[in-house]
Amino acid sequence: MSDTTVDRPKGAAGTAGLGDDYDTKYGFHDDESAYDFKSKKGVDHEVVEMISRYKKEPDWMREVRHNALDVFLSKPMPTWGSTELLNSIDFENIHYYVRASERQAQDWDDVPESVKNTFEKLGIPEAERKFLAGVTAQYESEVVYHSLREDLEKLGVIFTDMDTGLREYEDVVREHFTSVIPAEDNKFAALNTAVWSGGSFVYVPKGVEVAIPLQAYFRINTENMGQFERTLIIADEGSKVHYIEGCTAPTYSSDSLHSAVVELIARPGSTIRYTTIQNWSKNVYNLVTKRAIAEAGSRVEWIDGNLGSKLTMKYPAVYLVGEGAHAEILSVAFSSSDQHQDAGSKVIHAAPRTTSVITSKSISKDGGRGTYRGLVKVHEGAEGSKVNVKCDALLLDDRSRSDTYPTMEVDDEAVSIEHEATVSKVGEEQLYYLMSRGLDQDAATTLIVNGFIEPFTKELPMEYAVELNRLIQLEMEGAIG
Amino acid sequence: MSTDHMNVDAGPETSLRDVVTTRGGNDPAWLATARQDALSAYEASSLPDRVQHLWRYTDPQRFLPGERTPTTPDSHFGDLPADCQDATYEHVAGYALARDGRVLRSALDPLIADKKVVLTDLCTAAREHEDLVRPRLFSLLDAGGDKFEQLSAATFAGGTFFHVPRNVTIDRPFVVAHRVGGDGLIASRSLLVAGEGSEATIVFDLTSVGDDDAPLRHEGLEIHVEPGARLHVAFVQACGKRVTHAPVIRCRVERDAALETVSVALGGALVKSLQTTELVGKGSDVRVLGIVFANGRQHIDHHTLQDHVIGRNTSNLDYRTVVADRARSSYTGNLRIGLDGVGADAHQSNHNMLLSKKARADTIPELEILTNDVTCSHAAACGPIDEEMITFCQSRGISPRDARTLIVTGFLEPIVERVPGQQLRERVRSAVADRLDRVV
Amino acid sequence: MAFERLCALSDLPEGEARVFTVGEWRLAAARSGTAVFVVEDRCSHDDGELGQGVVHGLTADGCEIECPRHGARFDMATGRATHMPAVAPIETFESKVEDDTIWVDVPQW
Ligand code: FES
């Protein structure tokens, strides 16, 4: 499940020609004059240099970016997954950096009707709609966020955007940035490392339990919801944190490529839960790398819901490197017409008595395609480890498609691995029963679908669960274009 | 190594094309041409990409002939297996003896020969039964597909042709005993046809001459099960520990037909096998069964595909693997339901038992479902021998060692008992017991 | 265990990894002077060919080899994984240099 590499020149970052006159030439040192700036289309060393200079980053970060760009340029496209869609991405036709103020300049009138209708039907407040559609960069609940931040500060919790994180906590960032996901990992991680902007930086000190979920949704500032956001979460020993990314309402983006990188580090005895609800508009390629390192006795949970986008390729991973660490990956993918959700999970057992539970639910409808792709690897020495994988797919009509590609590699005898998968349609009997109770067919099917994903919804905070059910209802009624 | 009867068609400086031309010399023109075409396809195709998942765990380089030249088949079979000595045909319906890819001799119960059943060498059949062979031979080859499949199609020295005519039912198995030696390239092709409404069982018993023989075997098989026919095929591969073995088995099962295949993989240093089954009609029933028992540094890589092109039929796959010492087994199983596969009922299961810390098992059970009115599942598991079962056995006065043997045997037995023929089944059981003695 | 010939000293230039086949083993080797480090040519992440990768920080005490596929690194002296995405160690082999020949100790199977 990985791509090969062609040789790339080592060392030469390819910055030749980007000399001392850079600042005067491009004038990015001047915030005011660059206020409306966005990078030219396409990506090269010049664009990378520009982003880094513009953000006034330390030299090491600039080098990391340039090296990553070399990796990106030298790595071929993955030859697995939805290759046809992947190859249709036009990397030359993308703005890799758009200053947030520029992003806001987008007009509400340009937002597609279908997206607006969905907001309407979901009952999303006016101000929030504009934010979700990328029309404003500020979300009204800024006030909520401020009081939240004060509480967190008292506990010593750092919760900020990644750019601020890099400025204010440079040493911590430098130590951990790319330590979980090196740029060489895959083509899209390399691209993100080269052009990243925004994302969250979270540090939870020893023994601190953050009682309320940290929501990127509330951490609104000019850099949020970028195309190439970069998130780093460190939970120190014995701490506990729940982070929520995204929301149920459609996130409209005029940029067609979203490629995030999320690195989690769970120190001994800590717990990290990372919940994502992804509902990108259907023009978006959502190619994301998410990975956690779980040390002894820690617990990492990925709760991952995929509803939107044209193509999603996302396989949250947990490396269980300390004895007794536990991974829990729970995912739901809903694919409708012209959508391919290629999602899954990876768990690497590299220490004794580590355990993992993977549950995947996929629903395909109106010709949509759902793919589960997973890897479970048990290294020699991970004795006493236990793995349980369960994948269920529900196909709602005869044009939809479901694929299951699990890989299990077992290098130690004293482990137990179980994997099960089923594919089925909505049961006639169940449907008949519900309809005999007076429900029409759509309502009955919706009920069955909601029941099917219940193991997922019950892990969500209430308001998300309610919204998700409502959204599925809309999807089932064909009310969403 | 039995080198006394062995030589090669040509020196190393002679190209494969010369060998193909020589071997095609006795073939009818259409077959000679087909060989040449296959060779061109072989030469034109690139080596499978390691990143492509079917070759992730096994290096395709190791299946290239390289320095090896095609082996001229030895004309002596050696000692006959017990089931081929059955002169009264009490337990077998007929047999064929093959060396290094070529059938040396075949014999049928005269009563069965009267029914026009054919069991003979493929090259002979191409000449004598063109009407049966020509429309089917190479028809199941994957056109763009497997490079090595083209290699066996081009260079095969011979192979088995088996044909059961329409509505003929045979109650005893046919046995094909095939022995290989030397260290050259041994290529063979076989074609099995169960005519409409017929019923038969055939067993391939594959061994090598001595422990030091280290040939590279490329073997292609095509199996046609015509409407309403029932065919049961077993492959028991117990070659020596230096053999490289690469069978490609293509099956096509038509409406209301039934095919059961049982493969037993015990031998070989390096094995890469591919078995695909197309279900092209309603009402058919396919069973794909297999065991792998590997020890030492054996590397066994199996791939299966059941493709429900048409639905309203069933397929069941059950593969069981035992790996010991530093051996490695990789199993990739794909279950595919096409757009017209409505009503398919398809299941696959792969269980792996690891007997040592250094043993390795990979399992990749895949599903590709393109329509919704289906019942599909797969299950896979890996683990050691269940300690609780050992404790339980001990409480019944059974030593831990005996308990382990019992448990492994019990794990494999449901597949072993599907091997046709009392004698062959017993041979499999004793081979399993022997190996268990060494690894438990 | 037995020492087998790996190559002549001159076949392994300093500072670069080279790949060798000894018996059934595929090995990657690097050297600094007469200190030779030999590991299995197989990355524990996803079977990448380590011998095609770059060697970092080579001294007589050790070095790191970087897998060309996804950037994992290993300590060539101990086999320990030092950089993601690899976490499990790789196999290392004892070696010695006699006259102009490098010998490596590989298990026999
Ligand atoms: S195979 Fe070596 S880093 Fe992935």
Side-chain angles (χ1 to χ4, degrees):
Chain A
M1 217 171 283
S2 16
D3 34 3
T4 47
T5 286
V6 265
D7 284 339
R8 69 182 175 95
K10 292 276 168 180
T15 46
L18 299 169
D20 298 336
D21 64 336
Y22 193 90
D23 285 351
T24 40
K25 196 166 155 198
Y26 295 95
F28 301 124
H29 60 291
D30 183 349
D31 271 353
E32 293 310 309
S33 67
Y35 198 70
D36 285 335
F37 185 78
K38 68 179 161 195
S39 72
K40 64 176 189 187
K41 282 185 176 177
V43 63
D44 55 19
H45 283 288
E46 197 178 305
V47 168
V48 164
E49 183 74 15
M50 182 276 289
I51 295 172
S52 192
R53 296 258 184 165
Y54 177 73
K55 291 170 176 286
K56 299 198 176 72
E57 287 177 347
D59 286 347
W60 66 266
M61 180 58 84
R62 198 150 44 89
E63 259 162 51
V64 164
R65 286 181 184 272
H66 280 297
N67 284 331
L69 181 66
D70 285 334
V71 175
F72 167 73
L73 295 172
S74 67
K75 269 195 192 279
M77 270 295 193
T79 50
W80 47 272
S82 193
T83 43
E84 205 178 300
L85 284 177
L86 281 177
N87 290 325
S88 70
I89 299 176
D90 184 1
F91 289 105
E92 290 307 307
N93 200 25
I94 290 169
H95 289 288
Y96 286 84
Y97 183 69
V98 181
R99 220 191 112 99
S101 58
E102 184 74 6
R103 207 182 283 278
Q104 289 167 44
Q106 185 172 295
D107 205 315
W108 175 247
D109 292 339
D110 294 339
V111 177
E113 274 315 303
S114 62
V115 174
K116 288 182 182 168
N117 285 340
T118 311
F119 288 157
E120 187 83 52
K121 291 193 172 107
L122 282 173
I124 308 278
E126 198 73 31
E128 211 169 317
R129 291 183 202 179
K130 294 209 165 144
F131 164 68
L132 290 167
V135 177
T136 60
Q138 300 287 330
Y139 175 50
E140 299 287 293
S141 55
E142 193 77 351
V143 198
V144 185
Y145 169 60
H146 277 305
S147 68
L148 169 71
R149 197 170 56 183
E150 271 167 29
D151 290 348
L152 293 175
E153 268 167 12
K154 274 182 219 141
L155 295 167
V157 175
I158 303 168
F159 176 31
T160 180
D161 66 274
M162 195 68 199
D163 295 274
T164 310
L166 174 61
R167 266 194 311 275
E168 293 177 10
Y169 308 95
E170 185 181 335
D171 291 347
V172 190
V173 171
R174 185 170 189 175
E175 186 183 340
H176 298 101
F177 196 87
T178 70
S179 74
V180 185
I181 304 173
E184 290 82 356
D185 195 84
N186 65 72
K187 191 169 180 76
F188 294 96
L191 179 63
N192 174 284
T193 309
V195 299
W196 72 268
S197 198
S200 295
F201 173 63
V202 176
Y203 171 80
V204 186
K206 274 189 194 165
V208 171
E209 296 196 7
V210 183
I212 46 158
L214 303 181
Q215 304 185 45
Y217 193 39
F218 286 124
R219 185 200 42 74
I220 301 313
N221 61 37
T222 48
E223 298 289 3
N224 191 49
M225 295 225 168
Q227 283 164 265
F228 300 102
E229 83 244 26
R230 180 95 194 185
T231 290
L232 171 62
I233 299 179
I234 304 166
D236 216 330
E237 278 175 46
S239 68
K240 204 167 172 179
V241 64
H242 181 189
Y243 180 89
I244 301 182
E245 170 205 325
C247 52
T248 345
T251 316
Y252 177 70
S253 165
S254 52
D255 306 307
S256 59
L257 179 60
H258 173 247
S259 186
V261 166
V262 176
E263 299 177 286
L264 308 185
I265 298 169
R267 296 283 184 228
S270 67
T271 299
I272 302 179
R273 169 178 283 209
Y274 193 108
T275 299
T276 309
I277 307 259
Q278 173 273 112
N279 195 5
W280 288 101
S281 45
K282 288 185 184 173
N283 57 323
V284 172
Y285 293 87
N286 182 41
L287 309 166
V288 172
T289 311
K290 293 184 165 177
R291 183 180 299 158
I293 288 189
E295 298 183 9
S298 69
R299 182 179 175 99
V300 172
E301 303 168 350
W302 294 105
I303 314 286
D304 203 64
N306 293 294
L307 300 160
S309 81
K310 181 207 282 280
L311 169 68
T312 284
M313 288 175 77
K314 175 164 51 158
Y315 320 97
V318 184
Y319 279 61
L320 300 162
V321 300
E323 180 159 357
H326 177 75
E328 190 97 21
I329 302 176
L330 178 56
S331 63
V332 162
F334 195 104
S335 330
S336 195
S337 59
D338 297 322
Q339 277 189 295
H340 185 180
Q341 305 285 8
D342 196 320
S345 57
K346 295 185 189 182
V347 180
I348 313 299
H349 289 257
R353 285 164 289 285
T354 46
T355 49
S356 61
V357 176
I358 297 168
T359 311
S360 155
K361 302 267 179 187
S362 122
I363 301 153
S364 310
K365 158 176 189 289
D366 295 337
R369 178 173 179 193
T371 299
Y372 172 83
R373 204 181 290 277
L375 170 68
V376 168
K377 183 160 184 154
V378 182
H379 281 294
E380 191 184 330
E383 68 267 359
S385 292
K386 283 196 169 58
V387 181
N388 190 299
V389 185
K390 186 139 182 42
C391 306
D392 296 315
L394 193 59
L395 291 168
L396 297 184
D397 51 62
D398 60 4
R399 292 178 300 142
S400 300
R401 168 168 184 173
S402 160
D403 310 301
T404 313
Y405 304 111
T407 299
M408 283 154 277
E409 303 179 357
V410 183
D411 234 335
D412 197 290
E413 54 151 344
V415 300
S416 141
I417 298 204
E418 280 164 27
H419 171 99
E420 265 176 51
T422 63
V423 178
S424 54
K425 62 170 190 165
V426 171
E428 308 268 335
E429 273 172 44
Q430 215 180 349
L431 207 55
Y432 180 78
Y433 173 79
L434 290 170
M435 287 166 74
S436 74
R437 298 281 144 139
L439 291 178
D440 64 25
Q441 180 153 357
D442 277 349
T445 312
T446 305
L447 213 61
I448 292 169
V449 171
N450 281 342
F452 178 74
I453 62 164
E454 208 247 358
F456 179 82
T457 17
K458 77 166 198 271
E459 294 300 326
L460 298 177
M462 236 264 285
E463 67 274 24
Y464 283 80
V466 170
E467 241 174 51
L468 183 65
N469 281 339
R470 174 89 184 115
L471 190 78
I472 284 183
Q473 191 181 338
L474 289 176
E475 284 275 4
M476 299 305 297
E477 288 166 1
I480 294 174
Chain B
M1 202 189 305
S2 80
T3 45
D4 38 343
H5 296 289
M6 202 189 64
N7 55 50
V8 289
D9 274 350
E13 68 283 354
T14 316
S15 70
L16 272 181
R17 180 132 342 239
D18 295 335
V19 174
V20 168
T21 307
T22 313
R23 289 196 170 169
N26 297 325
D27 291 339
W30 64 268
L31 183 53
T33 312
R35 282 181 185 267
Q36 297 288 347
D37 291 348
L39 184 65
S40 303
Y42 168 75
E43 286 171 345
S45 58
S46 48
L47 211 54
D49 180 355
R50 286 300 301 264
V51 177
Q52 297 298 315
H53 69 298
L54 292 187
W55 289 91
R56 273 175 59 106
Y57 302 113
T58 301
D59 185 356
Q61 297 268 6
R62 298 176 67 183
F63 295 88
L64 286 172
E67 300 285 285
R68 300 175 197 255
T69 49
T71 302
T72 298
D74 195 316
S75 50
H76 293 250
F77 185 83
D79 298 339
L80 291 189
D83 30 17
C84 300
Q85 296 176 15
D86 184 0
T88 59
Y89 299 103
E90 205 184 318
H91 301 293
V92 300
Y95 57 85
L97 302 175
R99 254 316 290 270
D100 307 326
R102 184 172 291 164
V103 173
L104 302 176
R105 174 148 58 92
S106 63
L108 294 182
D109 178 339
L111 293 175
I112 286 165
D114 285 350
K115 296 182 176 177
K116 303 235 174 332
V117 171
V118 183
L119 175 65
T120 186
D121 183 67
L122 181 62
C123 294
T124 312
R127 288 191 299 270
E128 294 174 6
H129 301 281
E130 181 174 335
D131 56 322
L132 297 177
V133 176
R134 191 171 174 181
R136 297 185 181 93
L137 188 67
F138 302 155
S139 67
L140 300 185
L141 239 73
D142 180 4
D146 195 279
K147 184 176 175 72
F148 301 119
E149 194 170 12
Q150 301 292 354
L151 178 62
S152 67
T155 61
F156 71 99
T160 309
F161 175 70
F162 177 59
H163 182 265
V164 189
R166 218 173 153 202
N167 293 332
V168 170
T169 301
I170 296 158
D171 56 351
R172 287 149 290 155
F174 294 84
V175 176
V176 178
H178 188 177
R179 221 169 253 179
V180 293
D183 54 11
L185 165 67
I186 296 180
S188 65
R189 298 277 332 170
S190 296
L191 177 61
L192 316 184
V193 184
E196 223 176 303
S198 67
E199 209 172 317
T201 299
I202 184 165
V203 163
F204 287 82
D205 175 6
L206 309 172
T207 52
S208 51
V209 179
D211 284 342
D212 286 335
D213 290 270
L216 166 63
R217 305 189 49 184
H218 279 291
E219 186 164 311
L221 259 115
E222 290 165 276
I223 302 179
H224 291 261
V225 191
E226 297 183 346
R230 309 185 73 77
L231 184 65
H232 187 177
V233 188
F235 306 97
V236 176
Q237 185 270 106
C239 292
K241 286 287 180 65
R242 296 192 57 207
V243 175
T244 304
H245 183 38
V248 179
I249 302 165
R250 305 277 184 193
C251 314
R252 182 182 159 92
V253 181
E254 300 193 46
R255 96 187 123 73
D256 300 320
L259 171 66
E260 175 171 334
T261 62
V262 187
S263 74
V264 175
L266 299 169
L270 174 64
V271 176
K272 171 83 190 170
S273 93
L274 169 63
Q275 178 174 350
T276 64
T277 309
E278 266 184 310
L279 292 87
V280 295
K282 292 190 293 189
S284 54
D285 179 37
V286 167
R287 268 157 214 283
V288 183
L289 308 175
I291 64 173
V292 171
F293 190 168
N295 70 342
R297 296 251 308 169
Q298 280 182 285
H299 179 115
I300 317 271
D301 185 336
H302 277 251
H303 174 58
T304 58
L305 163 69
Q306 296 85 258
D307 189 356
H308 291 250
V309 179
I310 295 288
R312 309 232 174 282
N313 43 27
T314 59
S315 72
N316 278 285
L317 175 140
D318 188 347
Y319 253 73
R320 303 188 183 205
T321 305
V322 178
V323 268
D325 305 335
R326 286 183 78 107
R328 174 167 184 181
S329 157
S330 295
Y331 169 75
T332 310
N334 194 345
L335 188 54
R336 192 162 190 281
I337 316 281
L339 279 170
D340 296 321
V342 173
D345 183 337
H347 305 275
Q348 65 179 8
S349 138
N350 171 231
H351 285 253
N352 297 272
M353 209 178 246
L354 287 86
L355 301 186
S356 86
K357 230 179 160 49
K358 294 271 180 198
R360 170 158 176 175
D362 309 313
T363 173
I364 309 174
E366 306 178 331
L367 297 173
E368 290 183 344
I369 317 290
L370 277 64
T371 190
N372 75 326
D373 193 359
V374 299
T375 314
C376 290
S377 73
H378 69 214
C382 299
I385 293 180
D386 189 347
E387 283 302 323
E388 273 173 40
M389 280 174 74
I390 296 178
T391 316
F392 174 80
C393 288
Q394 273 180 291
S395 73
R396 301 287 155 115
I398 300 168
S399 75
R401 190 188 155 87
D402 288 351
R404 288 167 74 88
T405 307
L406 260 177
I407 293 165
V408 177
T409 315
F411 172 63
L412 297 175
E413 183 57 25
I415 309 293
V416 174
E417 72 183 14
R418 297 302 305 161
V419 172
Q422 178 71 27
Q423 281 152 326
L424 187 60
R425 203 157 47 235
E426 283 312 321
R427 275 215 338 265
V428 171
R429 288 195 180 113
S430 70
V432 166
D434 264 11
R435 186 156 298 177
L436 270 169
D437 253 1
R438 264 174 285 150
V439 299
V440 163
Chain C
M1 298 271 175
F3 276 96
E4 306 240 355
R5 186 177 186 278
L6 184 74
C7 64
L9 202 56
S10 56
D11 293 337
L12 183 58
E14 290 209 34
E16 261 174 60
R18 284 286 149 94
V19 179
F20 302 92
T21 304
V22 177
E24 288 176 53
W25 295 93
R26 264 180 73 88
L27 306 171
R31 96 179 154 94
S32 161
T34 54
V36 178
F37 306 99
V38 186
V39 298
E40 195 181 355
D41 183 31
R42 187 166 75 89
C43 176
S44 71
H45 172 240
D46 193 32
D47 297 352
E49 294 177 353
L50 289 174
Q52 311 298 322
V54 177
V55 175
H56 299 274
L58 180 66
T59 69
D61 295 326
C63 62
E64 283 193 1
I65 189 158
E66 178 181 333
C67 179
R69 284 190 60 213
H70 317 103
R73 290 190 188 191
F74 299 90
D75 180 328
M76 281 192 84
T78 64
R80 198 172 63 88
T82 59
H83 207 281
M84 287 288 273
V87 284
I90 53 171
E91 216 144 339
T92 57
F93 302 88
E94 209 181 304
S95 65
K96 62 183 181 190
V97 178
E98 276 172 11
D99 301 325
D100 275 340
T101 304
I102 304 173
W103 299 84
V104 62
D105 192 2
V106 289
Q108 306 291 302
W109 293 97

